[in-house]
Amino acid sequence: MKDALGIIFAEGTDTGFGSLTSKRSLAAVPIASRYRIIDFILSSMVNSGITNVGIITQRNYKSLMDHVGTGKEWDLNRKIGGLLLIPPTPSRDIIGSDKVDLLDLAGALGFLERSPQKYVVLSKSHLICNLNFTDAFEKHVNSNAIVTILYQELEPEGEISGLKNRYFLTTDENDKITQIKAYSSTNESNKISLDIYIINKDFLIYLIRDGLASGERGSLSEVFARRVEHMKMIGYVARDFVARIDSIKTFYQANMVILQKEIREKLFFEPGRIYTKVKDEAPSKYMKSAVVKNSLIADGCVIDGYVENSIIFRGVKVVKGARVTNSIIMQGSEIQENATLEHVILDKEVIIRQDIRLTGQKSYLVLIDKGAIV
Amino acid sequence: MRKKECIALILAGGQGSRLGVLTKKVAKPAVNFGGKYRIIDFPLSNCTNSNIDTVGVLTQYQPLELNSYIGSGQPWDLDRSFGGVYLLPPYMKAEAGTWYKGTANAIYQNMNFIQMFNPDYVLILSGDHIYKMNYAKMVDFHIENNADATISCIKVPWDQASRFGIMKTDKTLRITEFFEKPKNPVSNMASMGVYVFKWEVLKEYLIKDEEDPRSSNDFGKNVIPTMLHDGKRMFAYNFKGYWKDVGTVYSLWEANMELLHKKPGMNLFDRSWRIYSKNAIQPPHYTADGAVIKDSMITEGSVIYGKVKNSVISSGVKIGKNTVIEDSVLFPSVVVEDNCVIKKAIIGERSVVRQNSRIGVEDMIEGQIPSKMCSDGIVLIGSDIVVKSGSDIAKNVMVE
């Protein structure tokens, strides 16, 4: 895939994530005990052989910058290609859209033009997945398509919430896309777009330039929908596990689903490994009174309390007598004696004082801000 | 000319034969320790934390794994454009090339390397101890005393003193006598094998030592006694803190067990003095419903279904259902299947223990003495071994 570059659109979020994204972009939200959301799509690109990746940022990109750094954890600290952070388009009046708008891509024009690759793999950051794009890329090149859209097939009886604003594809027997349509109650297709695209670079540059000149606006899905009848766009079905994070609820579910063996083994090991920033923590220590069930625990923790069905990040302390169930405890937090947490998300460096009791519901999680002392 | 005030050289060429099958394929400094470290991470991290940014690692025996482990030195922040980490194996020179004959000869053969940095001081370290030490303080002490050589020393139990280089000092800590592994020690101040030299002085003595055909080219046996005999200013630097020679199977096991103490001598959680290691790129560890883990250290990539008590579990280890692990050290990527019992064992990298096996439970039956043995009841299983299902491996057995 040497002939493809990657673009990750680190989408903004106006609502849906509360304080989790008040000081960081969604791409930089901690997930799965030691990762940030962007690690999964970025590692997928790197494992597919892409060595030139641009990340288009929106507002609040400080912690994202801090996380990816020079890209060395992804082997992207290169003289040729490597990692480039692209600041938001200055002329943009609303920074913070979760749609990949043509105007947001304008900031990447220089990067696109300068890069020697002929194809672009473009995705938002919010997918928890471990994908290899090689096969889709080969199909794209061999079929002379201009755009390839990766999609998944919905189960007939599957959940239908969260489909608003999603796009569905209709394809013919040769995988050529005949229609791209936003979800509606009369939706007939089960092919839901992952908003991951393989695009001929010259076409993408043309779209951005044309959009700037003519004033055409809209997300890439909308832009492609307008042109699908006249151009060769093909669909590619991804059968791997993909969790999409668009709310606190889906964020919580994506963490919890990783506790399942089959998903964990695929997500972290196949087809490649997931890379993240290294923190050099010591191994975690289990003390005398530790009781841990069905939980994912990162390094640097000291566990002497009760932990069940939970996601524990690096450097967390759960002292004797504390109880944590069905919760997500982010880096450096401390749960003191006889505190009880249930269905709670603690942001980084929270201290829960002794005897405190916080109880949320599966459908309504308690979220505690970074650095809070409860 | 650009120069460095002080550079470090780590003697990492030792064969480590007392570690048995653990050093069959790797050099002693590359042996695993504490779940996610290797022994050499300790001197390397000490250098980084002491602001010593130029480190030569002298390798000789089984260097492949050590070389690939150290790589560019990036995990220790030692990937520098001037300085950084250098691997220094013996090499052929225009006239001849030889293996490193002794510790002093190893440094002698790398004098050109040291000269590249034109240092005022050279710090000599060994690659087989577990400790945290601020070398910068020792160099300061050396400078304050205008010393030619400073030897870091630690009080050891009297009954062990004859295993070390032993020194006597006057009130100002100037060394008056030095005995390498004495039969009847006159003090219990033992050399830790950590030296600071004035480079100009060391150079002179290395050349002199090399010219002496009777010398065994060793710091403790030859260079230090000769310098002392010549009246050079040599001082003892008192080190206080945890320091452990992990040169034997028992001491390696014991050092791992000491990490599990409530307040361990080696505190790996100290954020002001981190021990760095190469990242294994593994997900967080997973503890299943039904697992019981007490007084143990578990690191990334492990998946635990069974019972783990008082043990050190390295990255990527899998422990099956109804399996009991006690007082043991499992190296990276070990797999223990269901219904096994493992007590007081060290299990090498990537070894697999198939189901229903018992290791270190029974005493050895008289008359069935295996070809290789451990001591102190420890079972040692090498790397890439497959223990067949239903096996019973007695205490003190070494499997290769």
Side-chain angles (χ1 to χ4, degrees):
Chain A
M1 292 206 43
K2 290 226 155 45
D3 217 10
L5 61 85
I7 286 185
I8 298 173
F9 180 73
E11 62 277 56
T13 50
D14 285 329
T15 53
F17 292 92
S19 60
L20 272 185
T21 56
S22 65
K23 292 206 173 84
R24 54 168 92 89
S25 56
L26 181 60
V29 168
I31 189 161
S33 292
R34 68 187 291 260
Y35 302 93
R36 305 275 181 149
I37 287 175
I38 197 171
D39 292 341
F40 291 87
I41 193 75
L42 186 54
S43 301
S44 292
M45 285 187 178
V46 168
N47 290 333
S48 303
I50 296 173
T51 56
N52 187 19
V53 180
I55 300 174
I56 300 176
T57 58
Q58 299 269 24
R59 61 184 164 199
N60 286 337
Y61 57 88
K62 194 193 117 282
S63 68
L64 178 61
M65 244 169 83
D66 182 40
H67 178 67
V68 295
T70 59
K72 76 175 178 201
E73 317 288 1
W74 296 268
D75 262 345
L76 288 173
N77 49 340
R78 303 289 184 93
K79 290 198 174 174
I80 301 168
L83 185 81
L84 180 71
L85 278 172
I86 301 163
T89 308
S91 60
R92 190 93 167 96
D93 42 359
I94 324 154
I95 297 175
S97 163
D98 66 342
K99 288 183 190 162
V100 195
D101 192 280
L102 279 180
L103 199 51
D104 292 317
L105 291 170
L109 261 179
F111 168 67
L112 287 167
E113 283 168 333
R114 235 181 9 256
S115 297
Q117 289 85 3
K118 286 203 214 97
Y119 302 93
V120 180
V121 177
L122 193 152
S123 174
K124 295 207 267 185
S125 73
H126 70 327
L127 301 175
I128 303 306
C129 58
N130 188 346
L131 301 172
N132 190 310
F133 303 116
T134 318
D135 191 45
F137 179 70
E138 272 170 22
K139 278 226 170 80
H140 177 83
V141 174
N142 293 339
S143 67
N144 284 316
I146 287 184
V147 175
T148 296
I149 302 178
L150 275 69
Y151 67 87
Q152 289 203 304
E153 285 170 340
L154 284 187
E155 306 282 329
E157 303 298 316
E159 200 179 343
I160 53 155
S161 66
L163 296 183
K164 220 179 110 207
N165 300 328
R166 301 292 305 269
Y167 280 80
F168 284 80
L169 314 177
T170 312
T171 57
D172 68 14
E173 65 282 1
N174 297 318
D175 296 324
K176 186 183 177 310
I177 302 171
T178 53
Q179 196 180 46
I180 303 171
K181 250 182 101 180
Y183 178 77
S184 67
S185 52
T186 56
N187 179 53
E188 280 176 359
S189 168
N190 69 335
K191 293 172 178 161
I192 183 164
S193 168
L194 284 170
D195 300 334
I196 300 175
Y197 311 106
I198 301 171
I199 315 168
N200 292 4
K201 188 179 79 177
D202 290 341
F203 179 61
L204 182 62
I205 292 173
Y206 159 78
L207 281 180
I208 298 168
R209 289 204 174 286
D210 190 54
L212 286 174
S214 68
E216 181 181 358
R217 292 286 177 272
S219 69
L220 276 183
S221 298
E222 289 161 344
V223 171
F224 292 150
R226 287 175 207 138
R227 288 169 173 78
V228 71
E229 282 173 44
H230 318 293
M231 298 189 137
K232 187 165 182 189
M233 300 189 187
I234 61 169
Y236 181 90
V237 61
R239 300 193 192 279
D240 311 78
F241 167 79
V242 179
R244 182 186 158 99
I245 304 208
D246 53 13
S247 63
I248 289 203
K249 196 176 156 205
T250 49
F251 168 76
Y252 178 79
Q253 285 167 349
N255 275 286
M256 291 301 156
V257 81
I258 297 172
L259 292 174
Q260 293 174 23
K261 184 169 181 259
E262 298 72 29
I263 288 176
R264 205 174 54 240
E265 283 173 358
K266 296 255 345 165
L267 185 62
F268 291 127
F269 296 103
E270 287 170 51
R273 298 278 178 108
I274 305 298
Y275 310 96
T276 189
K277 190 176 171 184
V278 173
K279 291 276 167 71
D280 293 294
E281 293 282 354
S284 279
K285 210 164 174 179
Y286 285 68
M287 312 299 275
K288 268 214 169 30
S289 323
V291 177
V292 179
K293 295 178 181 174
N294 189 38
S295 294
L296 207 57
I297 299 181
D299 273 358
C301 297
V302 181
I303 312 280
D304 205 11
Y306 181 92
V307 178
E308 188 179 359
N309 301 336
S310 292
I311 306 291
I312 311 291
F313 283 70
R314 291 183 271 213
V316 166
K317 282 199 181 104
V318 181
V319 309
K320 194 176 165 182
R323 285 182 73 88
V324 177
T325 46
N326 301 314
S327 294
I328 299 171
I329 312 296
M330 290 188 194
Q331 193 184 322
S333 290
E334 187 179 332
I335 326 293
Q336 297 183 347
E337 226 177 314
N338 299 323
T340 305
L341 303 181
E342 212 183 315
H343 288 108
V344 171
I345 300 174
L346 296 190
D347 205 322
K348 287 165 76 173
E349 285 135 28
V350 170
I351 295 174
I352 304 292
R353 292 259 191 245
Q354 53 188 50
D355 303 319
I356 298 287
R357 213 186 160 87
L358 293 174
T359 313
Q361 299 296 325
K362 204 173 175 183
S363 54
Y364 195 86
L365 300 146
V366 175
L367 171 63
I368 307 293
D369 295 4
K370 182 175 171 179
I373 298 173
V374 181
Chain B
M1 185 182 171
R2 283 179 91 181
K3 65 176 281 152
K4 297 275 182 191
E5 189 191 19
C6 180
I7 72 166
L9 290 147
I10 303 180
L11 298 162
Q15 190 172 349
S17 49
R18 286 178 302 156
L19 284 174
V21 295
L22 290 178
T23 47
K24 195 178 165 194
K25 289 182 204 150
V26 301
K28 182 153 107 177
V31 168
N32 302 82
F33 180 79
K36 64 187 290 190
Y37 307 96
R38 294 183 188 246
I39 298 170
I40 198 159
D41 287 331
F42 291 83
L44 281 176
S45 301
N46 285 341
C47 283
T48 303
N49 291 331
S50 305
N51 280 321
I52 291 170
D53 64 4
T54 307
V55 183
V57 180
L58 284 73
T59 61
Q60 171 156 290
Y61 171 82
Q62 294 281 19
L64 182 64
E65 192 149 338
L66 188 59
N67 290 2
S68 68
Y69 182 69
I70 292 174
S72 69
Q74 182 259 320
W76 305 271
D77 230 356
L78 288 172
D79 49 338
R80 306 293 178 102
S81 49
F82 181 58
V85 70
Y86 293 79
L87 289 155
L88 305 169
Y91 59 94
M92 292 303 290
K93 293 148 192 96
E95 286 148 31
T98 57
W99 294 103
Y100 294 148
K101 289 180 281 174
T103 51
N105 175 259
I107 306 293
Y108 172 82
Q109 290 199 36
N110 286 289
M111 288 200 332
N112 287 342
F113 166 78
I114 301 171
Q115 203 54 52
M116 259 174 20
F117 300 98
N118 191 25
D120 299 322
Y121 310 104
V122 174
L123 175 69
I124 311 280
L125 308 168
S126 74
D128 34 13
H129 297 118
I130 302 295
Y131 65 117
K132 290 197 276 191
M133 178 173 179
N134 191 338
Y135 303 133
K137 283 188 179 164
M138 181 177 170
V139 174
D140 286 346
F141 174 85
H142 179 84
I143 296 169
E144 275 164 33
N145 286 309
N146 189 27
D148 295 310
T150 301
I151 303 174
S152 182
C153 62
I154 189 164
K155 277 209 169 84
V156 293
W158 277 95
D159 60 330
Q160 288 176 29
S162 56
R163 285 173 42 212
F164 296 93
I166 293 296
M167 64 201 93
K168 256 191 129 165
T169 65
D170 66 14
K171 266 186 227 146
T172 65
L173 291 173
R174 184 161 174 176
I175 299 169
T176 52
E177 290 177 273
F178 183 92
F179 307 94
E180 180 69 9
K181 297 182 180 149
K183 279 210 181 85
N184 301 304
V186 293
S187 105
N188 63 341
M189 297 283 283
S191 163
M192 294 161 60
V194 174
Y195 313 107
V196 180
F197 291 99
K198 266 189 193 154
W199 172 228
E200 287 307 317
V201 176
L202 178 63
K203 208 172 8 178
E204 181 193 328
Y205 276 86
L206 287 177
I207 293 168
K208 224 196 261 183
D209 180 66
E210 189 62 21
E211 284 167 354
D212 179 358
R214 288 162 307 165
S215 172
S216 50
N217 309 113
D218 185 86
F219 274 104
K221 281 185 211 146
N222 311 102
V223 176
I224 303 288
T226 311
M227 285 178 79
L228 197 62
H229 181 260
D230 289 357
K232 290 287 164 197
R233 287 179 66 81
M234 303 176 77
F235 285 80
Y237 176 78
N238 276 314
F239 173 78
K240 289 189 188 76
Y242 184 88
W243 180 78
K244 186 106 184 171
D245 184 337
V246 285
T248 64
V249 173
Y250 180 76
S251 62
L252 181 71
W253 174 83
E254 189 183 45
N256 274 288
M257 292 299 118
E258 282 167 1
L259 292 173
L260 304 173
H261 292 174
K262 204 159 184 200
K263 288 217 165 93
M266 169 54 62
N267 179 10
L268 295 169
F269 285 76
D270 177 4
R271 297 208 159 87
S272 66
W273 203 272
R274 280 184 202 266
I275 303 301
Y276 307 100
S277 63
K278 193 168 168 179
N279 177 21
I281 315 170
Q282 290 273 9
H285 77 260
Y286 174 74
T287 303
D289 205 350
V292 178
I293 308 174
K294 306 273 181 196
D295 298 313
S296 295
M297 285 177 83
I298 318 276
T299 188
E300 285 159 354
S302 289
V303 179
I304 317 282
Y305 285 91
K307 291 190 172 69
V308 179
K309 208 179 142 195
N310 208 45
S311 296
V312 174
I313 307 297
S314 307
S315 59
V317 169
K318 309 234 168 354
I319 296 174
K321 286 177 191 150
N322 296 318
T323 280
V324 178
I325 312 278
E326 263 181 48
D327 305 321
S328 295
V329 182
L330 271 51
F331 280 5
S333 305
V334 164
V335 176
V336 184
E337 294 184 351
D338 299 349
N339 305 313
C340 293
V341 179
I342 297 181
K343 287 186 175 176
K344 208 174 178 182
I346 300 178
I347 302 187
E349 282 189 74
R350 297 172 300 274
S351 284
V352 179
V353 179
R354 297 255 182 253
Q355 54 190 10
N356 304 316
S357 292
R358 281 149 50 92
I359 294 177
V361 181
E362 303 293 334
D363 284 320
M364 225 179 266
I365 302 165
E366 240 174 286
Q368 289 189 348
I369 304 297
S371 56
K372 286 208 164 179
M373 273 186 68
C374 276
S375 60
D376 307 284
I378 297 171
V379 178
L380 176 60
I381 294 180
S383 50
D384 300 296
I385 303 276
V386 177
V387 175
K388 287 193 196 121
S389 60
S391 297
D392 208 326
I393 297 176
K395 292 174 185 174
N396 288 317
V397 172
M398 192 188 291
V399 182
E400 73 175 321

